[in-house]
Amino acid sequence: MECRIDLEKEYGIVLEGGGARGAYQVGAWRALREAGVKIRGIAGASVGALNGALMCTDDLEKAEHVWENLTYSKVVDMEDEEAHALLKRDFTKVNTGELLKKFMKVLTDGGFDISPLRQLISDAVDEEKIRSSDRELYVTTFSVDNRREEVIDIKSVPDGEIDDMLMASAYFLAFKKEKLGGKRYMDGGGFNNVPINVLIEQGYKDIIVIRIYGLGFDTTRTLKVPDDTDVRYIAPRQDLGGILEFNKKRCCYNMRLGYFDAQRFLHGLSGRRYYIDAPDEEEYYLTKLETEAEKWKVNRFQVYTVDSLREAIIAKYNEMLTDRTTEQGEEETT
């Protein structure tokens, strides 16, 4: 299939914040990488900053491994069953007394202990590779001490503090308040969740934005894009689930969606759940359907006009696709 974008150009990638929905970005990245898209720099907010660090080092396999094995207990200091019970309000499989004690401790401590997330970032992010990468990486956060949004050029931070600055961009309000690099920060997504402006200000003229529609301030509504700047979007057409839905099945599903939506973007594919290469006009495909008529078992006493035959064939295809879609939905929920 022919690629619809210029593969000779170098692109800036914008990664939106959105918690567990970030798996979608990794799937989209795989499609971009397979197509040979050249990435010169990344701007990320919140989970987009963490994915951006892996994209900066071009370590797609590590990124996929992280998301394929991500659970609640790898983000906050809480058992997966307990976190699931709190989010789903289903306490049938947990000790409610112990869970209540832990929740009261969270309130007393001022938020969730995110030691597991710190460890996850430390294991996944290679500071040396980031500094030696030929890709730029910018992340957004909000400085509580300075009371302003900050854009951090990750390669410019002092040695040993890259992990802290990535944490600073992803610091949810529900997390236990701690200082990072001597300062207190809040999630960058709350103030600039789609930091296209960061790359524009750095002189990027070709930008690809990977949307996941997370909670936060959406700057795209008021952003003024210069006439000489091309901004394109890869965006989901299906639900990516909750921003706290950290489980393997959901993350793997979202990665697949990201991959196919990026393929749609790259190659002009049609469809929502099924992705079809359809380069010809609609009349061509209707004619092709008519030629398939002899393969269908139809009522020999019924007389078909051309139009009614088209309707019968299309209805049969819709029935087949609906059945298949239902099967997929059942697989995802089992």
Side-chain angles (χ1 to χ4, degrees), residues 49-80:
L50 306 182
N51 282 336
L54 294 165
M55 187 179 289
C56 184
T57 62
D58 201 29
D59 201 339
L60 175 61
E61 289 70 26
K62 181 177 286 185
E64 290 177 332
H65 177 77
V66 167
W67 282 101
E68 286 169 354
N69 295 278
L70 195 60
T71 61
Y72 297 108
S73 59
K74 292 185 178 180
V75 179
V76 297
D77 187 18
M78 180 173 287
E79 296 297 325
D80 293 324

Side-chain angles (χ1 to χ4, degrees), residues 118-150:
R118 279 182 171 277
Q119 188 60 51
L120 177 66
I121 294 174
S122 178
D123 293 341
V125 175
D126 189 320
E127 179 168 330
E128 183 178 343
K129 285 186 178 180
I130 288 178
R131 294 190 186 279
S132 62
S133 171
D134 58 357
R135 295 174 177 175
E136 298 176 319
L137 176 60
Y138 304 92
V139 304
T140 61
T141 185
F142 183 85
S143 172
V144 176
D145 295 334
N146 298 330
R147 298 182 181 179
R148 67 167 184 258
E149 178 193 345
E150 292 188 0

Side-chain angles (χ1 to χ4, degrees), residues 58-272:
D58 201 29
D59 201 339
L60 175 61
E61 289 70 26
K62 181 177 286 185
E64 290 177 332
H65 177 77
V66 167
W67 282 101
E68 286 169 354
N69 295 278
L70 195 60
T71 61
Y72 297 108
S73 59
K74 292 185 178 180
V75 179
V76 297
D77 187 18
M78 180 173 287
E79 296 297 325
D80 293 324
E81 293 79 7
E82 295 170 340
H84 184 273
L86 283 175
L87 291 171
K88 301 296 183 181
R89 298 180 184 179
D90 178 6
F91 305 102
T92 57
K93 297 180 181 180
V94 296
N95 184 320
T96 53
E98 288 297 320
L99 182 59
L100 181 59
K101 288 180 182 179
K102 290 186 178 182
F103 187 65
M104 292 303 296
K105 188 177 187 305
V106 168
L107 295 177
T108 302
D109 292 343
F112 288 96
D113 180 355
I114 53 171
S115 299
L117 180 58
R118 279 182 171 277
Q119 188 60 51
L120 177 66
I121 294 174
S122 178
D123 293 341
V125 175
D126 189 320
E127 179 168 330
E128 183 178 343
K129 285 186 178 180
I130 288 178
R131 294 190 186 279
S132 62
S133 171
D134 58 357
R135 295 174 177 175
E136 298 176 319
L137 176 60
Y138 304 92
V139 304
T140 61
T141 185
F142 183 85
S143 172
V144 176
D145 295 334
N146 298 330
R147 298 182 181 179
R148 67 167 184 258
E149 178 193 345
E150 292 188 0
V151 177
I152 300 171
D153 178 350
I154 284 296
K155 292 185 180 182
S156 71
V157 305
D159 290 343
E161 293 188 14
I162 284 183
D163 288 1
D164 278 351
M165 292 303 98
L166 295 175
M167 280 286 297
S169 184
Y171 219 89
F172 291 166
L173 287 173
F175 289 169
K176 183 178 179 180
K177 302 300 177 287
E178 298 176 358
K179 287 190 175 182
L180 301 166
K183 295 181 181 180
R184 292 175 298 160
Y185 293 94
M186 289 173 58
D187 192 309
F191 302 89
N192 187 359
N193 204 31
V194 196
I196 304 172
N197 66 300
V198 173
L199 293 186
I200 291 176
E201 290 165 6
Q202 293 297 323
Y204 284 74
K205 300 301 181 184
D206 296 282
I207 298 172
I208 299 172
V209 185
I210 304 178
R211 298 299 312 263
I212 53 176
Y213 302 113
L215 299 178
F217 187 64
D218 186 350
T219 52
T220 61
R221 299 173 183 177
T222 57
L223 179 69
K224 293 184 178 180
V225 178
D227 292 338
D228 63 347
T229 301
D230 182 25
V231 178
R232 305 189 186 194
Y233 296 86
I234 298 172
R237 296 188 180 185
Q238 297 181 45
D239 182 23
L240 297 181
I243 62 172
L244 298 179
E245 201 170 340
F246 294 105
N247 66 74
K248 180 175 181 177
K249 183 176 289 187
R250 168 57 73 176
C251 290
C252 290
Y253 179 71
N254 285 350
M255 277 196 285
R256 290 199 299 274
L257 286 181
Y259 179 80
F260 287 119
D261 282 336
Q263 292 283 10
R264 181 209 314 280
F265 163 81
L266 289 165
H267 304 293
L269 302 185
S270 301
R272 294 181 66 88

